[in-house]
Amino acid sequence: MKRYDLIVVGAGPAGLSAAIEAARCGMSVVVFDENDRPGGQLFKQIHKFFGSKEHKAKIRGFRIGQQLLEEASQAGVEVVLGATVEGLYLDKEVTVKIGENLEHFKGDAIIVATGASENMVTFPGWTLPGVIGAGAAQTMMNLHGIKPGSKILMLGTGNVGLVVSFQLLQCGCQVVALVDAAPRVGGYGVHAAKVARTGVPFYLSHTIVEAQGEGRVTGVTIAQVDEHFNFVPGTEKHFDVDTICLAVGLSPMSQLLKMAGCKMADDPSKGGQVPLCDEEGQTSVPGIFVAGDVSGIEEASSAMIEGRIAGVAAAKYLGYMDAAKALDEREAMEGQLESLRQGMFAPKNRGKKIETTDEGIPVSQSLLTRGYVADDEILRFPGVTRRAGVHPVMECTQNIPCNPCQDACPKGCISIGENITALPIVADQAECIGCGMCVAACSGQAIFLVDEDIGDDSAAVTLPYEFLPLPKAGDKGVALGRDGQPVCEASVLSVKTAKAFDKTALLTIKVPSDMAMRARFYKGREAQGNE
């Protein structure tokens, strides 16, 4: 039986972060993960993270995974892959299946960071090939380079459903609809808006009636539901699809903690069965700690901080860090974590109907029910300004924890202030130079550069663009509005790429002046013909 100071179960963002903190304190650390590559969900996440610098904001998830692996290697962490932890026992012993062998390990401390599993829902036809979890679709696309399907319906408008829908579009799939039984979009409005402006319709207060097909999915029928989630007769809608993606929530994978005798609680607000733990992540069994989604479903940014807190706590528990230093480090990390738990999407606000922003601005009802801010609502938000010359227009309308736009602008045009969830504003005296760094840095793709008068009754609008093939200067097409409907003819003035933009191209289009505040997406002639 091999012994370590610390055994970490799970090589995702929480587990790797915990292992790095502990190893830096001089502990011998091993991480077991059942997958054939480390990093957990991070390597599926090609979008840019929210938060601030300390949360790795505006960095794509897979790059964060690469950074964590490099840090773990430098710290001397041993990572064992293809290793399924099948047992966790009271004396902090684990049994691990590695290949065909069942091996036995002992840790002086254990950190469980097993993450969460996808939920499913049942309906007639749900067992047909072609009905898959959104996470499975993300794995197929972003890890294995496999297109999940050609015509896809997404069930669920939380962040997972919204993010994966956009990535399906990037992959070349047609997303025929986003459907949710809830009456409001569940995820960040900026995620919904970037999907809506491509033309994907949202059906809120709808759910799946049945999937059709023999041997595989060939179609799906949805219908409206009432306040009791019963189908409303006569509201059925049919779509020809070959794939149905389910993004209906996650459940903590806490089975090992039950096996170890940790006290558990059934907490729907955290996703299901979770361990009772203290502020350091220590469970009711001394020396067994938790971090990440296994203790409650949150974003990967929160999981990484929770992992670091658990790593420090394990170091203190085993005497590798004195209590005073551990307290200082934990309090600093808790401050970072608390900043991510503010705003409209804070854990304390789950299930609540938020009517106004923190600034007292009425929330866009169109965004909540249709996925986009209506034209007659957009000007109420402080980041949406009209002025002479090129200037940023920030269609960020919810209090979410994010501020990379503030740091990106070299001229200080954008201000969020000390409160990371405040809505961005355009500084009165600053002069925009049109560099586009704010457009590329925005994790929600919610910033545009607008010049309402470039002569000849025309305007220039610079959009974030992450689709291939990239358009070319001189190309002709149409501009789409926030609702994804054509608003005018458009021609491409320029396409800028740079290492600093991290794969986000800046697409500048020429449109009539009166469309400057409406044109928010571009489709070339060829793309229109393929629909």
Side-chain angles (χ1 to χ4, degrees):
M1 179 172 66
K2 192 169 182 180
R3 186 171 190 139
Y4 293 87
D5 292 326
L6 176 66
I7 293 174
V8 180
V9 185
L16 286 176
S17 298
I20 291 165
E21 288 294 329
R24 285 173 176 169
C25 294
M27 299 170 65
S28 61
V29 182
V30 65
V31 181
F32 295 115
D33 195 287
E34 64 184 358
N35 296 298
D36 59 3
R37 62 186 299 179
Q41 301 299 312
L42 288 173
F43 283 94
K44 295 196 246 180
Q45 296 175 349
I46 62 172
H47 58 283
K48 296 177 180 178
F49 272 38
F50 290 81
S52 59
K53 285 181 179 178
E54 59 264 32
H55 308 128
K56 300 184 183 294
K58 76 174 183 179
I59 301 176
R60 299 187 188 277
F62 70 92
R63 298 195 192 281
I64 296 172
Q66 292 167 347
Q67 292 174 5
L68 288 178
L69 290 178
E70 290 173 6
E71 291 176 27
S73 177
Q74 292 168 3
V77 175
E78 181 182 348
V79 179
V80 183
L81 302 174
T84 304
V85 176
E86 298 193 340
L88 171 58
Y89 305 99
L90 282 172
D91 292 331
K92 294 186 280 295
E93 296 180 11
V94 298
T95 52
V96 187
K97 186 177 181 183
I98 304 174
E100 297 301 318
N101 300 320
L102 191 64
E103 301 188 24
H104 196 188
F105 298 87
K106 167 75 173 173
D108 293 328
I110 304 284
I111 295 177
V112 176
T114 43
S117 59
E118 290 193 277
N119 296 335
M120 292 290 115
V121 292
T122 61
F123 45 84
W126 78 285
T127 59
L128 283 170
V131 179
I132 61 176
Q138 206 174 27
T139 299
M140 294 169 71
M141 290 185 291
N142 300 339
L143 292 184
H144 303 298
I146 298 171
K147 190 175 175 181
S150 295
K151 298 181 71 175
I152 300 174
L153 180 134
M154 177 66 72
L155 179 66
T157 62
N159 279 337
V160 172
L162 297 172
V163 167
V164 174
S165 291
F166 192 74
Q167 291 174 4
L168 287 166
L169 294 169
Q170 291 175 306
C171 184
C173 305
Q174 180 185 354
V175 179
V176 301
L178 267 156
V179 178
D180 202 312
R184 300 186 299 276
V185 171
Y188 290 174
V190 288
H191 282 321
K194 70 184 183 183
V195 176
R197 63 178 174 255
T198 68
V200 178
F202 284 63
Y203 292 91
L204 282 300
S205 295
H206 283 71
T207 194
I208 294 174
V209 177
E210 65 174 355
Q212 292 94 26
E214 294 185 10
R216 64 178 180 86
V217 170
T218 57
V220 61
T221 299
I222 68 171
Q224 186 177 344
V225 295
D226 60 23
E227 64 271 20
H228 302 295
F229 298 101
N230 296 314
F231 292 121
V232 178
T235 62
E236 296 82 3
K237 300 174 183 65
H238 176 82
F239 298 91
D240 292 325
V241 299
D242 55 30
T243 306
I244 299 169
C245 279
L246 306 180
V248 290
L250 303 168
S251 295
M253 296 179 65
S254 57
Q255 297 89 336
L256 288 174
L257 295 161
K258 295 179 189 178
M259 182 184 295
C262 300
K263 291 182 180 178
M264 309 292 291
D266 192 1
D267 189 342
S269 70
K270 294 184 176 181
Q273 284 279 316
V274 294
L276 296 175
C277 58
D278 63 17
E279 64 276 5
E280 294 182 321
Q282 185 166 213
T283 68
S284 60
V285 178
I288 297 182
F289 301 82
V290 292
D293 283 350
V294 72
S295 60
I297 307 301
E298 290 190 80
E299 299 294 323
S301 299
S302 298
M304 287 186 285
I305 299 173
E306 289 181 357
R308 292 174 59 200
I309 291 172
V312 167
K316 186 194 78 170
Y317 174 78
L318 295 179
Y320 284 86
M321 182 181 292
D322 66 65
K325 183 178 180 182
L327 178 61
D328 288 344
E329 294 207 10
R330 193 190 84 219
E331 287 181 344
M333 289 184 281
E334 284 178 344
Q336 296 177 20
L337 191 58
E338 187 61 23
S339 70
L340 289 173
R341 291 174 171 170
Q342 299 302 312
M344 296 179 178
F345 293 88
K348 63 184 178 183
N349 289 330
R350 285 176 182 162
K352 294 182 181 179
K353 187 176 181 180
I354 307 297
E355 300 286 355
T356 62
T357 69
D358 291 347
E359 295 80 3
I361 302 169
V363 171
S364 166
Q365 294 304 304
S366 176
L367 178 66
L368 296 178
T369 58
R370 294 184 286 181
Y372 59 90
V373 181
D375 291 340
D376 61 358
E377 297 174 318
I378 195 66
L379 287 173
R380 71 174 66 149
F381 297 99
V384 182
T385 59
R386 306 189 72 168
R387 59 179 65 186
V390 63
H391 61 279
V393 173
M394 296 168 289
E395 301 190 359
C396 185
T397 65
Q398 294 177 326
N399 300 116
I400 57 177
C402 196
N403 69 0
C405 56
Q406 179 174 260
D407 296 329
C409 181
K411 294 296 183 179
C413 291
I414 299 171
S415 177
I416 288 176
E418 294 183 1
N419 183 358
I420 193 176
T421 60
L423 296 180
I425 63 172
V426 179
D428 288 334
Q429 304 304 319
E431 182 179 355
C432 176
I433 58 174
C435 67
M437 289 302 298
C438 59
V439 178
C442 179
S443 305
Q445 298 191 17
I447 300 181
F448 310 87
L449 292 182
V450 175
D451 188 339
E452 297 186 49
D453 184 8
I454 60 171
D456 194 29
D457 293 324
S458 297
V461 180
T462 299
L463 320 163
Y465 197 85
E466 293 187 354
F467 295 88
L468 293 175
L470 288 176
K472 301 184 297 295
D475 285 356
K476 306 288 185 181
V478 297
L480 307 185
R482 297 176 187 89
D483 60 357
Q485 297 305 305
V487 294
C488 63
E489 299 288 316
S491 59
V492 177
L493 294 177
S494 67
V495 182
K496 296 180 182 178
T497 60
K499 185 176 181 180
F501 298 165
D502 192 13
K503 303 297 184 181
T504 299
L506 303 187
L507 176 65
T508 302
I509 58 174
K510 179 181 178 181
V511 297
S513 291
D514 60 352
M515 290 293 112
M517 296 301 289
R518 293 183 62 192
R520 290 298 177 263
F521 193 68
Y522 171 82
K523 276 194 176 180
R525 296 295 186 197
E526 184 177 344
Q528 297 173 66
N530 290 336
E531 292 186 350

